[in-house]
């Protein structure tokens, strides 16, 4: 008589907080009442005490939320019971109480599930950024080594001569010197950076109420993401710089360099160059993410981009991860490289000053401005761009691969939008 897939409306039910739930046998068949085993799991009552939810079971089937509402202010209650084996429940006013519902009254189990899925999505989002950093940094490690030689050691030899010297003195593995530590630094940095950007951008969209971020919102979100990642990851970058510098080999690796800095200069020595780091990473993040997002948005709104999105929808699940990239592999690489080059060229002098600050000892420590003046006095304005060419050679493939792997991993891991 009563199907578990249909909604039942039961009148003349009185709810008692102490004695439980009572059904009136005048309006409900006794056979139906006897078949229900009510077991209260969670009860939600609003401030006016006029709504209560319970979880119960009927003949092995889980009943949906039980919604009770005061009737006429005389102590009576009108109760609607939703029975369903499907996801979601239908209430007495036709409202959907399922995973996609907007009703504020949810069971604890649903709330926990949503929180769990949110945490899982955050983890996957961070992993996508971390894997992107691991792959890109390993690929361009030789170029990173050349850049550090120019900045930290003040190398005067040409690029070809420097390559020959490293190969002759340290062998092929010399080009990947410090790569593991670099991954330890860049993996969390990129993970936090990518994730923070998506979070900040989505929050700005909520505040503005726009469907799509404006250019100023993109740049602001990118700057905030760069600052956030810098504050959390600068110590590892400082340690790596000290290890690569002359005499760093004698410190005994990551742990040895960390202990040496703490013992000789204190904990805050790990944050050497914090101010120029923030000053450089704010515009760097703004340009890097802003330029890529602007290029991506322009393409997706073009006739070619709209056609590609339409073709992707028609392809559905038959498409592999690379085919599901909104920009396609080649365009993702190209836009990532352009964004990286713009970001590096705009902020490179800050990078040079930051590296010099990290190399200073307490006895001869100078401020950021004084360090910048000293660099210019010793080598001219061009000294602020020392190593820019090998840096660009490193940034172009690094940024391109980072974005390609990041977008690819988001598809593979099924990352939901932030």
């Amino acid at each position: 008589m009563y199907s578990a897939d249909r909604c039942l409306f039961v009148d003349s039910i009185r709810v008692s907080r102490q004695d439980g739930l009572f059904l009136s046998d005048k309006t409900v068949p006794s056979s139906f009442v006897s078949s229900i085993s009510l077991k209260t799991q969670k009860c939600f009552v609003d401030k006016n005490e006029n709504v209560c939810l319970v979880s119960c079971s009927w003949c092995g089937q889980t009943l949906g939320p039980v919604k009770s509402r005061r009737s006429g202010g005389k102590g009576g209650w009108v109760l609607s019971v939703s029975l369903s084996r499907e996801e979601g429940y239908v209430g007495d006013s036709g409202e959907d109480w399922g995973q996609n519902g907007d009703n504020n009254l949810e069971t604890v189990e649903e709330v926990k599930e949503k929180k769990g899925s949110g945490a899982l999505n955050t983890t996957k989002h961070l992993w996508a950024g971390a894997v992107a950093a691991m792959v890109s940094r390993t690929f361009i490690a030789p170029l990173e080594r050349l850049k550090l030689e120019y900045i930290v050691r003040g190398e005067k030899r040409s690029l070809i001569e420097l390559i020959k010297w490293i190969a002759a003195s340290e062998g092929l593995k010399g080009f990947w010197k410090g790569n593991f530590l670099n991954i330890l630094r860049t993996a969390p940095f990129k993970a936090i950076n990518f994730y923070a950007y998506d979070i900040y951008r989505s929050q700005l969209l909520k505040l503005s109420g726009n469907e799509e971020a404006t250019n100023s919102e993109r740049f602001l979100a990118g700057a905030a993401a760069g600052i956030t990642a810098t504050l959390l990851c600068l110590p590892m970058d400082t340690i790596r710089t000290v290890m690569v510098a002359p005499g760093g080999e004698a410190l005994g690796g990551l742990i040895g360099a960390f202990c040496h800095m703490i013992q000789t200069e204190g904990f805050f020595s790990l944050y050497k160059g914090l101010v120029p780091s923030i000053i450089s990473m704010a515009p760097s993040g703004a340009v890097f993410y802003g330029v890529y997002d602007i290029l991506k948005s322009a393409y997706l709104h073009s006739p070619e981009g709209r056609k590609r999105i339409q073709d992707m929808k028609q392809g559905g699940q038959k498409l592999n991860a690379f085919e599901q990239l909104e920009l396609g592999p080649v365009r993702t690489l190209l836009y990532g490289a352009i964004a990286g080059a713009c970001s590096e060229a705009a902020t490179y002098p800050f990078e040079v000053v930051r590296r010099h600050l990290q190399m200073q000892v307490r006895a001869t420590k100078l401020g950021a401005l004084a360090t910048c003046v000293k660099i210019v006095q010793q080598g001219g304005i061009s000294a602020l761009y020392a190593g820019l060419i090998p840096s660009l050679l490193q940034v172009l493939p690094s940024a391109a691969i980072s974005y390609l792997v990041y977008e690819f991993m988001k598809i593979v891991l099924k990352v939901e939008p932030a």
Side-chain angles (χ1 to χ4, degrees), residues 30-85:
S30 59
S31 59
F32 173 73
V33 176
S34 62
S35 67
I36 296 180
S37 172
L38 288 174
K39 181 180 180 181
T40 301
Q41 301 291 342
K42 295 293 177 184
C43 184
F44 299 81
V45 183
D46 68 8
K47 61 183 181 181
N48 297 320
E49 297 188 351
N50 60 3
V51 176
C52 180
L53 296 178
V54 299
S55 174
C56 54
S57 61
W58 175 41
C59 300
Q61 299 293 334
T62 300
L63 278 64
V66 179
K67 182 178 180 182
S68 54
R69 185 170 54 212
R70 278 193 190 276
S71 169
K74 298 181 180 180
W77 293 74
V78 177
L79 181 71
S80 74
V81 183
S82 172
L83 307 178
S84 177
R85 287 187 298 232

Side-chain angles (χ1 to χ4, degrees), residues 141-213:
L143 297 173
E144 176 76 8
R145 171 69 192 278
L146 295 175
K147 185 182 83 168
L148 286 176
E149 288 293 336
Y150 278 105
I151 295 178
V152 177
R153 297 180 185 270
E155 185 59 58
K156 301 299 182 181
R157 282 173 285 193
S158 67
L159 185 60
I160 301 300
E161 291 176 344
L162 179 59
I163 292 174
K164 291 180 179 179
W165 176 80
I166 294 176
S169 60
E170 302 180 39
L172 187 61
K173 66 178 182 180
F175 291 99
W176 277 268
K177 180 181 179 181
N179 183 56
F180 177 71
L181 185 59
N182 198 21
I183 288 177
L184 291 180
R185 175 184 69 89
T186 57
F189 182 85
K190 273 296 181 185
I192 295 170
N193 222 334
F194 275 121
Y195 177 70
Y197 174 71
D198 285 350
I199 290 295
Y200 289 139
R201 183 181 59 178
S202 64
Q203 292 301 316
L204 288 174
L205 279 175
K206 291 179 181 178
L207 290 175
S208 64
N210 299 325
E211 294 184 359
E212 186 176 355

Side-chain angles (χ1 to χ4, degrees), residues 7 21 34 62 78 117 123 171 211 213 222 250 267 297 350 358 379 392 415:
C7 183
L21 182 67
S34 62
T62 300
V78 177
S117 63
T123 302
E211 294 184 359
F267 175 78
S297 177
F350 296 109
Q358 290 174 338
L392 285 175
V415 177

